[in-house]
Amino acid sequence: MKSVGDLLSELRRANIRLWAEDDRLRYSAPKGRLTPEIRDQLRERKSEILAFLHKIRPSQDEVFTPVPREGDMPLSFAQQRIWFLYQLDPEDRSYNLVWPLRLRGKLDVPALKQSIQGVIRRHEALRTTFAVRDGEPVQMIDRDQTRGTSFPVDDLCDLPESEQMETVQKMAVEGLERIFDLENDPLLRCGLLCLGPEEHVLLIFGHHMVCDSWAAGIFIRDLAAFYRAFSEDRPNDTLTLPELPIQYADFALRQREWLEKGELEKQLDYWKRQLAGAPFVLELPTDHPRPAELTSTGSLERFELDDDLARELNSLSHGTGTTLFMTLFAAFSTLIFRYTGQE
C-alpha cells in the first residue's frame, strides 16, 4: 500500500486538493476527476490522511503575517534580479508586459476607471516604485494611495474595421516599447480604445517588477468585481472582496528572513554543484554570427500539437510527477543538446 504522502502527491498531480477542518476531510477537484475508486480510498484512509495533514500544518511561526510598514522594504530575490538587469540597461524593454482585453457591450467608462484605481489601491505592488538607499534597492510603496494611473481614451470609431485592428496592434506595440523608469514612473499603465458604441479594447501595460502573467488573472478578476459595483452605483459592494491577508512586500521580507536562517548557503551550494562545468554560452549553429552585445531581439514561432500527442504528453507529465511545461522544456533541452553537443 502506498504511503499517505505518495497518495496525496498523486492526487495533487490530478489537481485534487485535500485539506483538514478539525476532524473533517475536505476536498476540491475538477468535475469527473474524483472517481469511485478514489472516493473509496479517501473513506478507508480518512483517519490516516487527517493525521498527516494536521502533522504538516504550518506552525504559527511559519504562517505569513503582515509586517509593519516602517522604514524601507526589501526587494524579493526575483525583483532584485530584474532590478540588477535594469541597472545594466535601463532602456531594455524585455520585462514590459501587455494584457489586451476585448470588451463587448455597453461600457461605463468612468466606472471602469474607478475600478482600475480600486485594483491598484487593493494591491500594493501595483503602486510600488524602486529606489536606492545606502547602495541597496528598496520598495517604495505609495501608502497614501494617492498615485493613480493614467487612463487615456482614444476614439477609433471613424476608422474602417481593418484599420481599427491595425491601429490597436500598433498602439499595443508602441505601449510595449515605452520605457519604464522604475524609480519615478507608475509601473502600471492603462489605455482604452473605442472601436464602436459597444466595442472597446482595454490595453494594460505593466513592468515585470510588479506583475506577471499569473497576476493578469487576479487583476481581471478583481477588476470585474469592482466594475460590477461601480457601474451599478453600489460602491459599498466592493467591500465584499475580502481584505488581502498579506501583500507582496510581506512575502519579500519573509523570503529574506527564511534564507538568512541558513537556507541561502544550502541553496547556493546545491546550484554551484549542479552548474559546475556548465558552458558559459551555448554554441548554437546559426546563419548569423553572434552579436558582440547581447540583445533581447527575437521572434515567435507558433505550432500546434495534435490531440493524441497532447494527451500522451499530459499522461507522461502526470505519471512522472511533473508539469506539462517541465516535460516540454526537457524535450527542448534535448533538442538544443543535439544541436550543440553541450549539456
Side-chain angles (χ1 to χ4, degrees):
M1 180 184 294
K2 65 184 68 174
S3 69
V4 173
D6 288 342
L7 173 62
L8 295 183
S9 295
E10 186 178 290
L11 295 177
R12 183 84 175 183
R13 292 196 292 272
N15 206 21
I16 300 171
R17 191 169 71 88
L18 303 179
W19 69 94
E21 289 183 2
D22 298 324
D23 61 344
R24 305 176 72 179
L25 184 61
R26 299 290 194 182
Y27 70 86
S28 68
K31 186 177 180 180
R33 194 67 60 86
L34 209 62
T35 64
E37 293 80 6
I38 293 176
R39 290 179 185 275
D40 289 342
Q41 275 189 301
L42 296 181
R43 277 193 290 268
E44 293 169 7
R45 306 187 68 178
K46 177 182 174 182
S47 58
E48 287 181 80
I49 295 171
L50 284 172
F52 183 86
L53 292 174
H54 284 304
K55 182 179 178 181
I56 65 172
R57 179 179 292 171
S59 67
Q60 193 61 37
D61 291 339
E62 294 172 317
V63 174
F64 273 16
T65 54
V67 297
R69 295 297 189 264
E70 299 171 359
D72 296 326
M73 300 294 290
L75 276 59
S76 71
F77 284 94
Q79 286 177 323
Q80 188 161 350
R81 175 177 60 85
I82 298 172
W83 179 87
F84 174 79
L85 295 173
Y86 173 80
Q87 303 308 305
L88 292 177
D89 184 4
E91 296 189 1
D92 183 23
R93 301 162 180 85
S94 302
Y95 290 98
N96 291 5
L97 307 172
V98 61
W99 308 328
L101 300 181
R102 190 82 178 252
L103 307 176
R104 291 190 170 97
K106 186 178 179 181
L107 183 66
D108 185 335
V109 175
L112 179 62
K113 182 176 181 180
Q114 281 183 291
S115 303
I116 292 171
Q117 292 170 341
V119 177
I120 293 171
R121 284 194 301 271
R122 177 172 166 77
H123 297 278
E124 281 183 354
L126 300 180
R127 45 190 168 86
T128 297
T129 51
F130 301 87
V132 177
R133 297 285 184 269
D134 299 323
E136 292 293 328
V138 295
Q139 299 192 52
M140 304 293 291
I141 302 168
D142 179 12
R143 293 164 191 164
D144 295 330
Q145 305 179 16
T146 56
R147 190 174 193 175
T149 185
S150 60
F151 190 69
V153 179
D154 291 285
D155 191 341
L156 308 181
C157 294
D158 293 336
L159 296 178
E161 186 175 347
S162 59
E163 290 186 31
Q164 284 183 341
M165 298 319 298
E166 288 178 4
T167 304
V168 169
Q169 186 172 8
K170 179 183 176 184
M171 296 182 76
V173 171
E174 288 175 351
L176 273 175
E177 289 296 310
R178 283 183 59 193
I179 297 169
F180 282 98
D181 180 337
L182 297 189
E183 185 169 359
N184 299 300
D185 289 346
L187 299 185
L188 188 83
R189 303 171 181 148
C190 298
L192 185 68
L193 309 179
C194 180
L195 310 183
E198 297 190 356
E199 191 81 18
H200 297 78
V201 173
L202 176 64
L203 294 177
I204 306 166
F205 301 97
H207 194 279
H208 199 37
M209 282 289 278
V210 300
C211 56
D212 56 19
S213 56
W214 179 267
I218 299 171
F219 186 98
I220 294 167
R221 179 199 66 195
D222 288 357
L223 181 67
F226 278 111
Y227 182 77
R228 280 193 294 271
F230 285 122
S231 62
E232 297 173 13
D233 199 23
R234 296 184 292 110
N236 287 337
D237 282 11
T238 58
L239 298 178
T240 59
L241 280 175
E243 185 178 349
L244 295 173
I246 62 168
Q247 297 277 350
Y248 190 77
D250 300 305
F251 162 77
L253 186 61
R254 296 304 186 202
Q255 181 191 52
R256 288 186 173 274
E257 290 177 348
W258 172 65
L259 288 171
E260 286 170 1
K261 292 177 181 177
E263 188 65 26
L264 179 60
E265 288 303 318
K266 186 167 71 173
Q267 296 280 341
L268 285 174
D269 288 344
Y270 171 82
W271 284 109
K272 285 177 181 177
R273 290 194 303 272
Q274 294 298 315
L275 298 174
F280 179 73
V281 67
L282 280 175
E283 297 299 337
L284 284 167
T286 63
D287 57 351
H288 296 286
R290 186 184 297 276
E293 185 175 333
L294 177 68
T295 74
S296 57
T297 303
S299 61
L300 192 65
E301 180 70 24
R302 296 185 182 276
F303 61 94
E304 293 185 2
L305 307 180
D306 63 64
D307 290 344
D308 290 340
L309 179 56
R311 277 193 293 270
E312 291 174 3
L313 287 169
N314 275 301
S315 177
L316 174 62
S317 302
H318 291 153
T320 53
T322 61
T323 64
L324 179 60
F325 172 84
M326 294 163 70
T327 301
L328 294 174
F329 187 71
F332 178 71
S333 298
T334 303
L335 175 67
I336 296 300
F337 168 74
R338 289 179 177 176
Y339 275 125
T340 65
Q342 295 171 287
E343 294 185 0

